[in-house]
Amino acid sequence: MIQAPRGTFDILPESAQKRKLVEAEADRILGAAGYRRIETPTFEATELFARGVGEATDIVQKEMYTFDDGAGRSLTLRPEGTAPVCRAYLEHGMRKLAQPVKLWYLSSFFRAEAPQRGRYRQFWQVGAEAIGSEAPETDAELIVLLADLLEAVGVRKTRLRLSSLGTPASRAEYREELKAFLHEHEDELAEDVRTRIDLNPMRAFDSGDPGTKAVMRDAPKLLDRLDPDDAEHFARVQALLDDAGLRYELDPALVRGLDYYTRTVFEFSSEELGAQSGVGGGGRYDGLIELLDGPSTPASGWAAGVERMLLAARELPPAPEFVDLFVALAKQDGSRIAFELALEARRAGLQAQLELAGRSLKGQLKHADRIGARYVAIIGENGVATLKDMQSGEQHDTGVRDVIPEILRAERMR
Ligand code: HAM
């Protein structure tokens, strides 16, 4: 039997219902702050991600689904949404609009990672991007909006970590300092950290090795090396979060898997999730638009994984299925009348279904009960129908034409 590809999953109706809640809350919470929906194509020119996300990142090195379009162009299934939104911002001349331009999306993304709980090869993200504002208020607003969304969806045991990466220049300087420090302590470091000192010195902060951990306690921290402007920007973000009553931890070792970040970075995690604990994260990316050949434009944003939100959320009661009217047949030859009655009922705003499986009348009533039908209209002969109230069990004969008005009237009285 053919199965869904490894790392992918079907969204069955019950799960689609829960996702609808995530979408409705995102629309409500982000809409109230002026964010408007955007959707970009599922695939883009490979170069957009190579440049935008960064050649050296795991995403670009190992995780992209890249293919040739048959005409010699290299395309890639989007692994993330920030670079595509920036591409769209430039392509549609959005810098002529009032700034910042606030956009949000709920789309599927693709990464060829090893699948495990909370990590898939096709997954969904809700994302928000504010392009054209340098203000620390923008970062703080975005962080609070994500906190509100996680809360509204019922995500439990969340923790917010916050840091600042400063500018690329101060970061490069700091990197050299950190490398020199690590080389000085080479013999106290774990093998895998030692071999990657020059390639990725920041990874040393993530090591679980006790010797490395001891060394890293005294390592220079990027947060202590920020330019005065960056330090002030970061202090302001923190003050705003304090005012908003949002709790966070400063994590000088917070590393994100994408190269475009500058200044503020943050990540929400949940203890409910185990190994893949990141629910959502983001930060400022002041250099990205320029990297994509646009004018220098500050920007900030985040994305949160829908599957991880739902895994970390309280189990929601299933939304009750509701059917106003089931149209049953006393005899099969009433089917044209039944068909028309169901259509008319839907046009009148009722949820209506009709018999489609050739069941006996007894079978049809059982079925109507199972799908939770409020009323059943049994089509009889000569334009007469029996209208049964499934809650009270009462029934009476009426004209087929009167079925809908009667139900509407009864519903108005309730
Ligand atoms: P990211 O941290 O790579 O950031 O992904 C954001 C969220 O997407 C993660 O926290 C996680 O919940 C979810 N996610 C990532 N990979 C997977 C996967 N393989 N399976 C399931 N869920 C996953 C970004 O993508 C940036 N574009 C966020 C951003 C927006 N930064 C600025 N603006």
Side-chain angles (χ1 to χ4, degrees):
M1 257 222 307
I2 300 173
Q3 296 188 330
R6 198 166 130 73
T8 70
F9 50 85
D10 298 306
I11 297 169
L12 300 175
E14 299 76 45
S15 161
Q17 200 68 30
K18 290 184 194 159
R19 285 162 180 267
K20 215 163 115 183
L21 172 88
V22 174
E23 182 169 8
E25 291 298 344
D27 189 30
R28 181 178 68 78
I29 290 165
L30 295 168
Y35 288 77
R36 297 169 71 207
R37 184 78 178 251
I38 184 170
E39 287 299 330
T40 58
T42 304
F43 52 83
E44 296 269 1
T46 301
E47 199 193 341
L48 175 65
F49 302 113
R51 266 209 258 168
V53 174
E55 284 292 359
T57 59
D58 277 356
I59 294 180
V60 172
Q61 290 275 310
K62 307 187 246 186
E63 297 171 0
M64 296 210 299
Y65 287 99
T66 296
F67 57 97
D68 189 296
D69 74 345
R73 279 176 295 258
S74 177
L75 298 175
T76 292
L77 296 183
R78 54 184 175 194
E80 65 101 47
T82 308
V85 167
C86 290
R87 195 243 339 113
Y89 174 89
L90 288 171
E91 192 168 328
H92 301 283
M94 289 191 226
R95 64 201 188 87
K96 292 192 209 93
L97 305 175
Q99 306 290 301
V101 174
K102 295 172 155 186
L103 301 165
W104 76 276
Y105 48 87
L106 196 170
S107 338
S108 63
F109 296 90
F110 305 84
R111 294 184 194 176
E113 299 190 79
Q116 64 180 85
R117 182 171 184 262
R119 191 163 76 194
Y120 312 99
R121 292 182 169 173
Q122 178 179 10
F123 57 96
W124 268 255
Q125 284 184 349
V126 183
E129 316 285 354
I131 305 177
S133 164
E134 198 182 12
E137 286 76 7
T138 305
D139 303 31
E141 176 180 279
L142 278 159
I143 294 170
V144 172
L145 288 169
L146 180 49
D148 285 352
L149 177 63
L150 296 178
E151 160 99 42
V153 173
V155 177
R156 291 166 299 174
K157 299 192 189 149
T158 55
R159 178 175 154 210
L160 167 60
R161 288 175 304 140
L162 185 68
S163 188
S164 173
L165 299 179
T167 53
S170 59
R171 202 151 69 237
E173 220 170 277
Y174 164 76
R175 217 178 121 96
E176 292 311 312
E177 187 188 350
L178 180 62
K179 280 194 321 204
F181 172 86
L182 292 171
H183 279 303
E184 264 168 48
H185 296 270
E186 230 166 292
D187 42 355
E188 299 156 64
L189 299 173
E191 163 86 37
D192 64 320
V193 175
R194 208 181 321 136
T195 53
R196 284 188 312 192
I197 292 180
D198 293 306
L199 209 67
N200 197 345
M202 287 296 279
R203 282 271 172 94
F205 284 107
D206 285 344
S207 174
D209 168 64
T212 307
K213 276 182 152 168
V215 172
M216 295 319 285
R217 270 195 281 280
D218 298 322
K221 304 288 185 313
L222 178 55
L223 277 180
D224 301 324
R225 300 289 185 275
L226 297 179
D227 286 351
D229 281 356
D230 295 344
E232 195 190 315
H233 192 278
F234 190 47
R236 189 95 189 125
V237 173
Q238 292 175 65
L240 291 161
L241 294 179
D242 292 338
D243 291 349
L246 199 65
R247 284 228 300 261
Y248 56 86
E249 298 152 44
L250 290 188
D251 181 355
L254 180 61
V255 272
R256 309 250 321 122
L258 308 101
D259 275 355
Y260 47 62
Y261 292 112
T262 52
R263 295 188 158 178
T264 318
V265 285
F266 58 92
E267 202 158 280
F268 284 85
S269 54
S270 166
E271 277 171 39
E272 295 288 315
L273 286 175
Q276 298 303 314
S277 65
V279 198
R284 183 159 275 288
Y285 48 94
D286 291 342
L288 180 53
I289 302 245
E290 212 170 351
L291 203 66
L292 301 176
D293 298 329
S296 166
T297 311
S300 194
W302 51 253
V306 173
E307 294 74 32
R308 292 194 195 170
M309 281 196 263
L310 292 175
L311 278 172
R314 238 170 285 114
E315 195 52 46
L316 301 163
E321 291 289 322
F322 197 79
V323 180
D324 294 310
L325 173 65
F326 182 76
V327 186
L329 304 171
K331 288 211 203 108
Q332 279 301 324
D333 62 8
S335 73
R336 285 175 70 177
I337 298 169
F339 189 82
E340 210 185 313
L341 182 60
L343 289 188
E344 271 176 34
R346 290 171 202 148
R347 286 180 190 136
L350 298 172
Q351 213 291 19
Q353 297 192 31
L354 74 154
E355 172 57 17
L356 296 171
R359 276 173 276 248
S360 69
L361 184 56
K362 197 170 149 213
Q364 292 177 60
L365 287 168
K366 225 160 108 186
H367 175 69
D369 194 46
R370 210 159 103 189
I371 63 173
R374 180 74 181 82
Y375 297 95
V376 176
I378 305 161
I379 307 296
E381 285 175 337
N382 307 322
V384 175
T386 305
L387 184 58
K388 179 167 182 179
D389 180 329
M390 296 293 277
Q391 256 168 36
S392 65
E394 281 166 21
Q395 61 178 64
H396 65 277
D397 286 351
T398 184
V400 171
R401 305 247 131 260
D402 298 321
V403 168
I404 295 168
E406 277 193 36
I407 292 175
L408 292 174
R409 207 175 312 124
E411 288 302 293
R412 260 198 312 269
M413 308 271 278
R414 284 215 299 164

